[in-house]
Amino acid sequence: EDGKGSNANRGRGKEAEGVAGGWTVGNRYMSDSQKQREWDREEVVILVVEYFWTKNLSPEAISEVQHKVSDFLRKWEKLLTGDSVSDTFRDYSGIRIQSGRIRCLDHETKYSGMQGTKLQKEIVQEYLSDPQKLKEEADSIYKKYSIHNS
């Protein structure tokens, strides 16, 4: 496996090492201003699938799902690291921002204020090519961590 979505490269907690101007977690570099690691494949799969599932729902319903995604990702991080997570780690505001990035990649919307990341672009393309396959991947991620948000 290439490690992009593997837990082996999710390196957290005690594996963090300080470097000039920032710190690394596993093989990932984060500047002092970031204080969060990069989004990995499994997290972005969840974001993309939930975005497309909710995009035509009411703002209230979308907000509710975004809160659930935040809760899931925060619990998942704590489960994997054994450490508590910061108040801002994958919080509701961050999920909304990332959803906005994904929305900009959705050709059915006229929203264009943000740019998606390379990984978000790849996963959105995968979703558009085969939505069922990505939905199944998201389901397996939820099951893998036994924290399913219904």
Side-chain angles (χ1 to χ4, degrees):
E1 185 167 344
D2 65 8
K4 286 184 180 175
S6 76
N7 291 333
N9 277 346
R10 288 187 69 130
R12 317 270 210 290
K14 296 174 180 58
E15 297 174 20
E17 297 179 20
V19 294
W23 49 286
T24 60
V25 177
N27 65 349
R28 298 177 178 177
Y29 173 80
M30 289 180 265
S31 70
D32 287 333
S33 63
Q34 287 175 310
K35 297 293 186 204
Q36 292 196 27
R37 64 175 174 73
E38 294 177 15
W39 291 76
D40 67 21
R41 177 180 172 83
E42 290 178 318
E43 292 171 310
V44 176
V45 166
I46 295 292
L47 288 173
V48 168
V49 168
E50 298 293 359
Y51 164 79
F52 281 103
W53 178 72
T54 63
K55 77 178 198 172
N56 294 317
L57 300 180
S58 70
E60 295 81 15
I62 292 170
S63 178
E64 183 178 334
V65 170
Q66 289 172 336
H67 277 287
K68 288 182 177 183
V69 168
S70 173
D71 290 345
F72 173 77
L73 295 179
R74 292 173 58 75
K75 288 175 187 173
W76 176 9
E77 184 74 8
K78 184 172 181 169
L79 177 73
L80 291 175
T81 65
D83 294 331
S84 60
V85 295
S86 76
D87 290 342
T88 59
F89 184 84
R90 307 302 191 248
D91 66 355
Y92 171 72
S93 295
I95 299 302
R96 284 184 52 87
I97 290 168
Q98 297 306 315
S99 295
R101 290 175 179 273
I102 293 165
R103 184 176 176 194
C104 288
L105 300 172
D106 180 358
H107 300 295
E108 293 181 5
T109 69
K110 296 181 188 213
Y111 190 72
S112 61
M114 305 173 102
Q115 291 187 348
T117 66
K118 180 180 175 188
L119 183 58
Q120 288 170 343
K121 290 174 186 174
E122 290 170 6
I123 294 175
V124 165
Q125 285 306 308
E126 287 180 42
Y127 183 90
L128 295 174
S129 297
D130 191 350
Q132 188 58 39
K133 183 177 178 185
L134 221 60
K135 288 175 189 176
E136 290 169 4
E137 185 175 345
D139 285 343
S140 79
I141 293 165
Y142 281 126
K143 288 175 187 165
K144 179 178 178 180
Y145 297 102
S146 300
I147 314 171
H148 193 13
N149 289 324
S150 319

